[in-house]
């Protein structure tokens, strides 16, 4: 907490961790509990990017997505990547992992660095004929069957499931299996691209707790607000072709998205002399507005629902401020009902915030594609 005054992100994380202490016991008996093994080595620094240009090489030439990226990853790094969909977060992650070579600049990576990389494509590429038991035994060929079963059980695989082909598993089960394999790699750096997708609430909390205890560095992209607030210390914004430190928390990021949308360039209009007459330009502008309308409606709908939820929560919390509620035995049922409503509304509030953040990012991306 002594460091909390240095950054708003840290203050948000302290509050989120305090909430986690309250809800954590509810997940103790969920059946999911794991941790990341201690890394063999913790290089310092792990990776250094100096004026790096990130993008792709093709037969047509280079396609730059991000330019002049300067970033240093150290054992204590806990980074959350923010930015509209399509702005370059995945490009940056693939560069950090080594899937994409920098187009320019200097990228230094320690040779002994063990990286654990989670992404949906990796989950989708799991061999459908493989089984959890076979996959784990490749990491630990000398382990007994009981030891292998015990390790798989920490990720919710029990009984015949350990010998079932991956092709039969749901998206959530495949994600759990992919995480189990990453744990065996004993990574020093975790790079996680939407790790909570397809995971149920109990497994999300198990992942959350495991990340709390992880001794290495974390770089994460996620729309799970709770996961971000409790596992990262600083945010970096990927937008407009650059990567910059974001001085704020997730509430500030939501306001940034709204402000950026209000201050953004107008829907793309062809300039004079572009070969289109005034009527054609008006028709084109109308078509572009029509493309954005469903996204804007979704944002407005979620903003309205969030506002209503806030109002209901305020009423509940005002009622819970009545001291007699806790001293008058005849009001015990009323108190329990109010506490239940408060818990339900707080859960709804978190879900609406997450959906709104994702909707605003989608709208921001769509608007940027229609602007000059």
């Amino acid at each position: 907490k002594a460091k909390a005054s240095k950054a708003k992100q840290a203050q948000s994380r302290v509050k989120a961790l305090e909430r986690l202490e309250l809800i954590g016991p509810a997940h103790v008996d969920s059946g999911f509990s794991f941790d990341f093994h201690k890394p063999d080595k913790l290089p310092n620094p792990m990776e250094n990017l100096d004026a790096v240009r990130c993008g792709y090489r093709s037969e047509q030439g280079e396609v730059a997505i991000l330019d002049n990226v300067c970033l240093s990853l150290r054992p204590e790094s806990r980074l959350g990547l923010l930015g509209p969909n399509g702005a370059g977060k995945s490009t940056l992650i693939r560069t950090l992992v080594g899937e994409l070579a920098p187009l320019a600049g200097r990228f230094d990576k320690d040779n002994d660095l063990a990286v654990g990389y989670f992404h949906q494509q990796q989950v989708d590429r799991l061999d459908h004929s493989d089984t959890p038991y076979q996959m784990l035994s490749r990491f630990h060929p000398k382990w007994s069957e009981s030891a292998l079963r015990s390790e798989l059980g920490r990720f919710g695989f029990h009984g015949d499931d350990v010998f079932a082909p991956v092709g039969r598993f749901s998206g959530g089960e495949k994600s759990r299996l992919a995480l189990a394999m990453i744990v065996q790699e004993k990574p020093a750096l975790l790079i996680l691209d939407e790790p909570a997708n397809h995971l149920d609430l109990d497994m999300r909390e198990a992942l959350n707790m495991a990340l709390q205890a992880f001794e290495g560095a974390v770089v994460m992209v996620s729309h799970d607000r709770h996961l971000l607030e409790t596992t990262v210390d600083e945010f970096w914004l990927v937008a407009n072709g650059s990567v910059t430190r974001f001085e704020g928390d997730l509430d500030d990021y939501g306001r940034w998205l709204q402000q950026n949308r209000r201050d953004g360039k107008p829907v793309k209009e062809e300039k004079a002399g572009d070969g289109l007459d005034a009527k054609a330009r008006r028709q084109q502008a109308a078509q572009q507005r029509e493309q954005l309308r469903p996204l804007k409606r979704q944002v407005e709908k979620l903003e309205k629902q969030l506002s209503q939820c806030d109002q209901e929560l305020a009423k509940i919390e005002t009622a819970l401020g009545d001291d007699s509620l806790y001293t008058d035995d005849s009001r015990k049922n009323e108190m329990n009902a109010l506490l239940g409503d408060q818990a339900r509304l707080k859960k709804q509030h978190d879900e609406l915030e997450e959906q709104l953040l994702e909707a605003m990012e989608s709208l921001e991306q769509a608007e940027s594609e229609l602007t000059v």
Side-chain angles (χ1 to χ4, degrees), residues 51-160:
V52 167
R53 182 181 302 143
C54 304
Y56 306 84
R57 288 186 173 90
S58 66
E59 295 180 357
Q60 289 72 36
E62 295 183 351
V63 180
I65 307 296
L66 301 169
D67 201 14
N68 197 33
V69 178
C70 296
L71 191 63
S72 180
L73 297 180
R74 301 180 179 277
E76 66 273 15
S77 297
R78 296 258 169 169
L79 277 57
L81 301 182
L82 305 176
N85 296 330
K89 296 190 295 291
S90 293
T91 300
L92 176 59
I93 279 181
R94 292 183 64 194
T95 302
L96 295 175
V97 171
E99 288 187 355
L100 293 175
L103 302 180
R106 181 172 178 175
F107 179 20
D108 297 321
K109 180 179 179 180
D110 192 282
N111 292 331
D112 294 327
L113 179 63
V115 179
Y117 180 30
F118 180 95
H119 60 106
Q120 191 56 48
Q121 289 77 17
Q122 170 206 37
V123 174
D124 294 338
R125 286 200 296 262
L126 291 175
D127 188 339
H128 283 197
S129 64
D130 224 338
T131 70
Y133 189 89
Q134 290 171 330
M135 294 173 68
L136 187 60
S137 63
R138 293 189 195 110
F139 279 99
H140 307 291
K142 296 183 179 180
W143 280 18
S144 66
E145 179 176 333
S146 62
L148 292 169
R149 281 180 171 273
S150 177
E151 178 69 3
L152 289 169
R154 297 200 300 153
F155 296 87
F157 295 100
H158 303 282
D160 293 339

Side-chain angles (χ1 to χ4, degrees), residues 293-304:
R293 188 168 288 119
L295 293 172
K296 289 183 176 179
R297 285 175 179 166
Q298 179 68 2
V299 169
E300 291 168 357
K301 176 184 175 183
L302 289 168
E303 287 176 337
K304 183 177 180 180

Side-chain angles (χ1 to χ4, degrees), residues 159-172:
D160 293 339
D161 285 346
V162 302
F163 298 111
V166 170
R168 296 182 185 177
F169 290 162
S170 67

